Amino acid sequence: MCFDLKPLDEDTLHDLREIAALRASARRKEALDLFYTLRKDFSDAFSDLHIVVLKPLCASCASQRSIALPGFGLEKTAIVTVLPGHRPEQFRMYDMANHHLHLFPYERHDDEERFSISCFICADRVDQDSEDGDELFAVEPESFCEYFGIEDEGPKKPDGDLREEIRELYGNFCYRCGSTKDITIDHIVPKSAEGRGVPTNLQPLCRKCNDEKADRLPERLILALDFLARPAPWDSYEGLIW
């Protein structure tokens, strides 16, 4: 069967580009709202929150990325907290040093729906379909900013629009003490340490808290999101994570 497909005209292409830009802008805003929520729950004004999205990998794709399979080539480990709490009764652990995600055994409910875990690259099955949910497989981490399309490179000094966006995101009050007076925009990683003027490195602080923080280097906190290791709640689900 042969289809005579006509090329899209310039007006249609322009409309499609505008739609794509609007979707990307909405996704960026929703991602920043999520970042702020996680930061509020797990981090303070003196912490630099770094979030990674874990992408499941089959053995073949892991090998192509020089990621050792679980049980092979393991040396030291670096354990990272995994969110969100999809199953509060199931403990999950991300080994950042070896890029492995461990889903620990738990008691399944009789009516619980079973699902398979697919490789993010080739869609081959990753899990072993264990009866108790105990799974260990390779993952590839991607930065929160890269995955959700948030700029993480830029000048040290943020422009006026970004400053206003940060004020709106945080509610226009000091992230440390809650004051609404004399609010400034602070670099979480200071400019003296090459901190950039990008959304995930900025926070509102009142002048007093900003002066107290000064060029102090923040403590780095790492969180991992594993929502790609399970299907979305329903086919038409449009949320960022689940």
Side-chain angles (χ1 to χ4, degrees):
M1 183 178 294
C2 181
F3 296 94
D4 183 18
L5 299 178
K6 296 181 180 180
L8 299 177
D9 58 46
E10 283 301 320
D11 288 341
T12 302
L13 290 172
H14 178 267
D15 290 343
L16 289 175
R17 285 193 290 267
E18 282 197 339
I19 292 172
L22 288 173
R23 285 179 174 173
S25 177
R27 178 181 171 90
R28 175 186 177 279
K29 183 181 186 307
E30 190 175 353
L32 281 177
D33 288 340
L34 172 61
F35 178 83
Y36 167 68
T37 299
L38 292 174
R39 188 154 192 260
K40 182 175 63 174
D41 290 343
F42 296 97
S43 181
D44 59 22
F46 297 98
S47 300
D48 174 26
L49 180 61
H50 181 68
I51 306 173
V52 294
V53 176
L54 303 180
K55 300 186 293 188
L57 296 178
C58 66
S60 176
C61 290
S63 177
Q64 291 175 19
R65 284 158 178 75
S66 300
I67 296 176
L69 297 178
F72 296 91
L74 300 183
E75 296 179 0
K76 55 186 179 180
T77 61
I79 305 305
V80 170
T81 299
V82 178
L83 296 172
H86 175 65
R87 294 193 188 99
E89 68 272 24
Q90 185 182 32
F91 181 68
R92 289 117 68 224
M93 184 175 71
Y94 170 49
D95 177 3
M96 186 174 65
N98 297 291
H99 302 310
H100 297 157
L101 179 61
H102 190 179
L103 311 182
F104 283 73
Y106 74 106
E107 186 175 349
R108 293 181 185 271
H109 302 299
D110 293 337
D111 59 347
E112 183 174 336
E113 184 179 356
R114 301 287 289 269
F115 61 85
S116 61
I117 301 173
S118 301
C119 176
F120 184 81
I121 306 300
C122 70
D124 280 355
R125 187 161 189 166
V126 170
D127 64 294
Q128 302 299 317
D129 193 26
S130 64
E131 286 297 324
D132 60 0
D134 188 11
E135 301 286 351
L136 179 62
F137 51 89
V139 291
E140 182 177 39
E142 184 173 355
S143 76
F144 183 89
C145 289
E146 185 175 356
Y147 186 84
F148 289 114
I150 301 173
E151 61 274 23
D152 59 358
E153 294 289 340
K156 289 186 176 182
K157 185 176 181 180
D159 61 27
D161 289 341
L162 181 53
R163 288 174 177 271
E164 186 59 33
E165 183 178 24
I166 295 301
R167 290 175 183 270
E168 181 179 341
L169 179 67
Y170 281 78
N172 203 30
F173 57 82
C174 177
Y175 185 64
R176 186 189 182 202
C177 73
S179 172
T180 58
K181 297 181 180 179
D182 201 11
I183 299 299
T184 66
I185 300 300
D186 170 66
H187 287 64
I188 299 169
V189 177
K191 289 183 285 186
S192 60
E194 299 303 316
R196 317 311 294 181
V198 295
T200 54
N201 191 49
L202 298 173
Q203 63 183 353
L205 293 182
C206 68
R207 179 66 61 185
K208 180 177 181 294
C209 289
N210 200 338
D211 289 343
E212 290 180 4
K213 178 176 176 290
D215 284 347
R216 172 177 169 179
L217 290 176
E219 177 184 0
R220 192 171 218 206
L221 175 63
I222 302 176
L223 296 177
L225 304 178
D226 73 341
F227 60 94
L228 295 177
R230 55 185 173 272
W234 53 86
D235 291 342
S236 59
Y237 184 81
E238 296 182 353
L240 286 184
I241 65 172
W242 50 87

